[in-house]
Amino acid sequence: MVRPSAKVVLISAIASGQGKTTTTAALARKLVKLGKTVRVFKTGPDFIDPMMLERACGSAVHSLDLWMVGQADSEGMLARAALDADVILIEGVMGLYDGNPSSADLARAFGVPVVAVLDASAMAQTVGALAMGLRDFGPVHLAGVIANRIASEGHAKMVAAAMRDIPLLGSLRRQDEALPERHLGLVLPQEVDRIEAILDAMADSLELDMQAWDALPDTSFELREHVSQHVSQSAANLAGKTIAIARDAAFAFIYPANIECLIGLGAELVFFLPLADDAIPSQADALYLPGGYPELHAETLTQASNWLATLYAAHAQGMPIFAECGGMMAITEGLVDQQEQSWPMAGILPGKVIMQKRLAALGAQALATPQGELRGHTFHYSRFETTLTASSHTIKHSTQQQGEAIYRVGNVRASYFHAYFASNPAATAALFSVETS
């Protein structure tokens, strides 16, 4: 059995906000500039961080998750990446031990060492205490620390002196020009002026102890022919079908694995830009409206006459339409943005979406289907006020309680639920097929 190997680290922290994404992006770009082939993965459900990390390393960033993706599929992706990559970076989620499964669980499952990113901006020697706590609580194989938001060379020396037996792999200076954020996380990279220059500057400001880095061991993975647990159920595939996918800043949240799953099911994919007033491609047999930021582009969407006319026509003709989160928001009757301004939307679903300051829902969820469980997650800052009765609901992974509503209007299926298609290809094929019952 082939066991490809590479230098692999999981980059985690004590909590969100420590600078994991910034540090992972800086490290990826620095290693690329040093001539390394770098692959990056993201732990758990996420859309925005992977887009930024893709810009940093130059290749698509997939999610790893022991529940949503599954351990076998996660290891398969790591093994295939290790065939070509010199370095594999896995950005963790939240704090190292947060969640079930946690980033620590994933690191232990694959024997991957952990690098802790610790924000040293309001401390010095205490960084060492935090590092030892992260190492020993689990425990995990803590390969080292990258100290973030270092103020000066003297500050870096104080942190280094406190590390005891834990290597200080590097330090990252405070950034004059940081990656901008908004309510769902980072701003999309295509919306950031000078993004390449910012990533280069971050890489240049990362002081990396190359001797300590080179001393990190390689990790090997089993590369085997793995058949997804749901492939045997996928007799109803999408061969010969063309799926139109909205893809712009208003509809940007798409797992790379979702695209790969649709292609694997035999579908031909065509992309279009509602914000540019593209019509839905005429050859489409089905329509996928992913999540994104319709609330930031509501005025443009209201004026996109070609997009709206072809959407109405597709719905009237009974075309299968799957609209998730932002995609669902765009086909309601109206949207109230964060400035409390109301905008008319497409009006296929009765009711209106209201943006709010507080997070409305977050977490892993699953949808029971005739083809089995379809896994995914939810993450939104809005609520949907509607007279529609839900046709079903997802189940929250953490509590097994009722989760997001699934709405049906003809062949439209809509929900705040973001589905991870590869968790059940047969259920995915059914989403884009004409309902016969």
Side-chain angles (χ1 to χ4, degrees), residues 354-424:
I354 300 173
M355 297 300 302
Q356 54 191 43
K357 302 297 183 184
R358 296 175 57 187
L359 186 65
L362 170 67
Q365 302 193 3
L367 175 65
T369 79
Q371 297 80 24
E373 186 176 75
L374 179 63
R375 295 180 175 183
H377 84 286
T378 186
F379 180 29
H380 57 97
Y381 276 81
S382 67
R383 67 183 188 273
F384 181 32
E385 296 183 350
T386 181
T387 57
L388 280 173
T389 300
S391 62
S392 61
H393 286 84
T394 59
I395 298 297
K396 297 178 182 179
H397 172 58
S398 60
T399 64
Q400 295 302 297
Q401 295 177 341
Q402 180 176 287
E404 296 291 358
I406 310 295
Y407 300 104
R408 294 291 307 272
V409 176
N411 277 311
V412 175
R413 298 170 177 88
S415 178
Y416 276 117
F417 173 64
H418 290 277
Y420 184 78
F421 293 169
S423 69
N424 191 327

Side-chain angles (χ1 to χ4, degrees), residues 162 213 257 325:
W213 174 260
C325 202

Side-chain angles (χ1 to χ4, degrees), residues 57-396:
C57 73
S59 60
V61 174
H62 286 69
S63 294
L64 301 177
D65 186 272
L66 297 179
W67 180 77
M68 185 181 78
V69 178
Q71 183 164 337
D73 283 351
S74 292
E75 183 171 15
M77 285 190 283
L78 287 167
R80 289 188 291 275
L83 287 171
D84 303 311
D86 302 307
V87 177
I88 297 174
L89 306 178
I90 306 169
E91 186 195 343
V93 61
M94 300 173 64
L96 178 58
Y97 296 103
D98 295 327
N100 181 26
S102 67
S103 297
D105 291 331
L106 189 140
R108 286 193 291 258
F110 303 123
V112 172
V114 174
V115 171
V117 175
L118 296 177
D119 180 356
S121 60
M123 66 182 82
Q125 289 86 350
T126 304
V127 172
L130 290 173
M132 284 186 280
L134 284 176
R135 177 191 64 189
D136 298 341
F137 179 81
V140 294
H141 174 200
L142 186 65
V145 167
I146 296 178
N148 189 27
R149 301 183 181 120
I150 292 292
S152 65
E153 184 177 346
H155 187 196
K157 288 180 178 178
M158 286 189 286
V159 171
M163 295 307 297
R164 299 188 182 177
D165 61 337
I166 299 174
L168 182 65
L169 294 174
S171 60
L172 187 60
R173 292 294 182 96
R174 292 178 184 171
Q175 300 298 301
D176 293 331
E177 196 171 12
L179 298 175
E181 298 185 28
R182 58 165 66 106
H183 56 281
L184 291 182
L186 296 175
V187 171
L188 302 181
Q190 61 266 33
E191 299 177 285
V192 181
D193 293 336
R194 302 183 62 256
I195 182 61
E196 295 298 326
I198 293 172
L199 289 169
D200 283 339
M202 286 164 43
D204 292 342
S205 67
L206 174 61
E207 297 291 336
L208 191 62
D209 183 336
M210 291 307 302
Q211 184 175 355
W213 174 260
D214 290 339
L216 295 178
D218 283 2
T219 302
S220 61
F221 305 95
E222 289 189 7
L223 182 64
R224 51 179 175 251
E225 288 296 325
H226 172 67
V227 179
S228 168
Q229 61 179 321
H230 297 291
V231 166
S232 61
Q233 303 172 8
S234 299
N237 59 42
L238 297 172
K241 301 292 185 182
T242 298
I243 299 176
I245 302 178
R247 196 170 199 177
D248 55 27
F251 305 94
F253 298 166
I254 309 175
Y255 291 119
N258 280 15
I259 300 298
E260 294 170 7
C261 181
L262 293 174
I263 293 171
L265 285 166
E268 180 181 345
L269 308 184
V270 289
F271 298 91
F272 70 105
L273 291 72
L275 291 179
D277 200 16
D278 287 352
I280 297 171
S282 59
Q283 69 269 39
D285 301 298
L287 175 62
Y288 178 24
L289 301 177
Y293 284 117
E295 67 271 24
L296 300 180
H297 304 278
E299 182 175 10
T300 302
L301 288 173
T302 65
Q303 299 170 356
S305 56
N306 290 326
W307 142 248
L308 290 171
T310 52
L311 175 63
Y312 299 144
H315 176 48
Q317 293 163 9
M319 179 185 290
I321 299 173
F322 180 54
E324 55 182 20
C325 202
M328 179 185 75
M329 294 162 64
I331 64 171
T332 63
E333 289 180 312
L335 186 155
V336 180
D337 65 21
Q338 290 193 314
Q339 289 70 46
E340 300 184 354
Q341 185 166 356
S342 296
W343 302 96
M345 292 286 102
I348 291 174
L349 301 181
K352 64 181 178 180
V353 169
I354 300 173
M355 297 300 302
Q356 54 191 43
K357 302 297 183 184
R358 296 175 57 187
L359 186 65
L362 170 67
Q365 302 193 3
L367 175 65
T369 79
Q371 297 80 24
E373 186 176 75
L374 179 63
R375 295 180 175 183
H377 84 286
T378 186
F379 180 29
H380 57 97
Y381 276 81
S382 67
R383 67 183 188 273
F384 181 32
E385 296 183 350
T386 181
T387 57
L388 280 173
T389 300
S391 62
S392 61
H393 286 84
T394 59
I395 298 297
K396 297 178 182 179

